[in-house]
């Protein structure tokens, strides 16, 4: 199973945890400005947890069960969903492989 992880510079970052393996990452560019980074990751364990850390002090850390994330059967399914979520009409939006 695959999940989509998000990090937003200046707000929060998602850290890779045990049982979660990053497969590919993309910078989300909105009119040329990086707004987020998305990572498609494979869940190797159904009980894996995802760590989310706030960028601003006191840098609160949350350990979120992966069961709360939408899951996809294949990497391609996750990428298709990411494209659906990040594109709208003719806006200048690019998913740039990292």
């Amino acid at each position: 199973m695959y999940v989509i992880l998000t990090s937003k510079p200046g707000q929060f970052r998602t850290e890779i945890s045990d049982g979660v393996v990053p497969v590919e990452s993309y910078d989300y560019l909105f009119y040329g400005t990086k707004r987020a980074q998305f990572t498609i990751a494979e869940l190797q364990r159904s009980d894996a947890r995802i760590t989310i850390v706030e960028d601003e002090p006191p840098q609160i850390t949350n350990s979120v069960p992966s069961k709360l994330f939408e899951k996809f059967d294949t990497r391609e399914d996750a990428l298709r969903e990411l494209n659906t979520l990040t594109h709208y009409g003719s806006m200048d939006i690019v998913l740039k492989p990292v």
Side-chain angles (χ1 to χ4, degrees):
M1 300 303 273
Y2 295 84
V3 293
I4 300 171
L5 307 177
T6 307
S7 294
K8 289 188 176 182
Q11 294 181 23
F12 66 89
R13 68 183 180 280
T14 304
E15 297 181 346
I16 300 302
S17 309
D18 288 338
V20 180
V21 177
V23 176
E24 56 194 63
S25 294
Y26 297 89
D27 283 342
Y28 172 72
L29 304 175
F30 184 77
Y31 288 90
T33 302
K34 180 179 175 180
R35 298 289 185 182
Q37 184 176 70
F38 296 104
T39 299
I40 296 174
E42 182 177 6
L43 294 177
Q44 295 188 323
R45 296 191 339 244
S46 61
D47 65 342
R49 298 182 75 83
I50 310 296
T51 303
I52 301 172
V53 181
E54 291 182 359
D55 286 345
E56 294 292 321
Q59 294 183 315
I60 296 170
T61 300
N62 292 299
S63 179
V64 182
S66 61
K67 69 180 182 179
L68 298 178
F69 287 75
E70 184 173 1
K71 292 175 192 61
F72 305 92
D73 291 329
T74 67
R75 180 199 66 79
E76 292 80 11
D77 289 344
L79 183 56
R80 192 171 13 265
E81 179 67 11
L82 182 57
N83 273 301
T84 299
L85 292 171
T86 58
H87 289 85
Y88 183 76
S90 61
M91 297 177 95
D92 181 13
I93 297 170
V94 175
L95 284 178
K96 179 181 172 188
V98 178

